[in-house]
Coordinates of all heavy atoms in Angstrom, one line a residue:
A40 N 65.8 -132.3 -37.7 CA 66.2 -131.2 -38.6 C 67.6 -131.5 -39.2 O 68.5 -132.1 -38.5 CB 66.2 -129.9 -37.9
T41 N 67.8 -131.1 -40.4 CA 69.1 -131.2 -41.0 C 70.0 -130.1 -40.5 O 69.6 -129.1 -39.9 CB 69.0 -131.1 -42.6 OG1 68.3 -129.8 -42.9 CG2 68.2 -132.2 -43.2
E42 N 71.3 -130.3 -40.7 CA 72.3 -129.3 -40.2 C 72.1 -127.9 -40.7 O 72.4 -126.9 -40.0 CB 73.7 -129.8 -40.4 CG 74.1 -131.1 -39.7 CD 75.6 -131.4 -39.9 OE1 76.3 -130.7 -40.6 OE2 76.0 -132.5 -39.4
E43 N 71.7 -127.8 -42.0 CA 71.5 -126.5 -42.6 C 70.2 -125.9 -42.3 O 69.8 -124.9 -42.9 CB 71.8 -126.6 -44.1 CG 70.8 -127.5 -44.9 CD 71.3 -128.9 -44.9 OE1 72.1 -129.4 -44.1 OE2 70.9 -129.6 -45.9
A44 N 69.4 -126.5 -41.5 CA 68.0 -126.1 -41.3 C 68.0 -124.7 -40.6 O 68.8 -124.3 -39.8 CB 67.2 -127.0 -40.4
Q45 N 67.0 -123.9 -41.0 CA 66.7 -122.6 -40.4 C 65.7 -122.8 -39.3 O 64.7 -123.5 -39.4 CB 66.1 -121.6 -41.4 CG 65.8 -120.3 -40.8 CD 67.0 -119.5 -40.2 OE1 67.9 -119.2 -40.9 NE2 66.9 -119.3 -38.9
V46 N 66.0 -122.2 -38.1 CA 65.2 -122.4 -36.9 C 64.3 -121.2 -36.7 O 64.8 -120.0 -36.8 CB 66.0 -122.7 -35.7 CG1 65.2 -122.7 -34.4 CG2 66.9 -123.9 -35.8
F47 N 63.0 -121.4 -36.4 CA 62.1 -120.4 -36.1 C 61.5 -120.7 -34.7 O 61.0 -121.7 -34.4 CB 60.9 -120.4 -37.1 CG 61.2 -119.9 -38.5 CD1 61.8 -120.8 -39.3 CD2 61.0 -118.6 -38.9 CE1 62.2 -120.4 -40.6 CE2 61.3 -118.2 -40.1 CZ 61.9 -119.1 -41.0
M48 N 61.7 -119.7 -33.8 CA 61.2 -119.9 -32.4 C 59.8 -119.3 -32.3 O 59.4 -118.3 -32.8 CB 62.1 -119.1 -31.4 CG 63.6 -119.5 -31.5 SD 63.8 -121.3 -31.2 CE 63.3 -121.4 -29.5
I49 N 58.9 -120.1 -31.7 CA 57.5 -119.8 -31.6 C 57.3 -118.5 -30.8 O 57.9 -118.3 -29.7 CB 56.7 -120.9 -31.0 CG1 56.6 -122.1 -32.0 CG2 55.3 -120.5 -30.6 CD1 55.8 -123.3 -31.6
D50 N 56.5 -117.6 -31.3 CA 56.1 -116.4 -30.6 C 54.8 -116.7 -29.8 O 53.7 -116.7 -30.3 CB 55.8 -115.3 -31.6 CG 55.4 -114.0 -31.0 OD1 55.3 -113.9 -29.7 OD2 55.2 -113.0 -31.7
A51 N 55.0 -117.0 -28.5 CA 53.9 -117.4 -27.6 C 52.8 -116.4 -27.5 O 51.6 -116.7 -27.4 CB 54.4 -117.8 -26.2
N52 N 53.2 -115.1 -27.6 CA 52.2 -114.0 -27.5 C 51.2 -113.9 -28.7 O 50.1 -113.4 -28.6 CB 52.9 -112.7 -27.3 CG 53.5 -112.6 -26.0 OD1 53.1 -113.2 -25.0 ND2 54.7 -111.9 -25.9
N53 N 51.6 -114.5 -29.8 CA 50.8 -114.5 -31.0 C 50.4 -115.9 -31.5 O 50.2 -116.1 -32.7 CB 51.6 -113.7 -32.1 CG 51.7 -112.2 -31.9 OD1 50.7 -111.6 -31.7 ND2 52.9 -111.7 -31.8
S54 N 50.4 -116.8 -30.6 CA 50.0 -118.2 -30.9 C 49.0 -118.7 -29.9 O 49.0 -118.3 -28.7 CB 51.2 -119.1 -30.8 OG 52.2 -118.6 -31.7
K55 N 48.1 -119.5 -30.3 CA 47.1 -120.1 -29.4 C 46.5 -121.4 -30.0 O 46.6 -121.6 -31.2 CB 46.0 -119.1 -29.1 CG 45.1 -118.7 -30.2 CD 44.1 -117.7 -29.8 CE 43.2 -117.2 -31.0 NZ 42.2 -116.3 -30.6
I56 N 45.8 -122.1 -29.2 CA 45.1 -123.3 -29.6 C 43.6 -123.1 -29.3 O 43.3 -122.7 -28.1 CB 45.6 -124.6 -28.9 CG1 47.1 -124.7 -29.0 CG2 44.9 -125.8 -29.5 CD1 47.6 -124.8 -30.5

Side-chain angles (χ1 to χ4, degrees):
T41 55
E42 290 185 4
E43 63 270 26
Q45 176 61 60
V46 176
F47 291 80
M48 303 303 295
I49 288 178
D50 180 358
N52 291 328
N53 289 304
S54 303
K55 64 180 178 180
I56 309 300

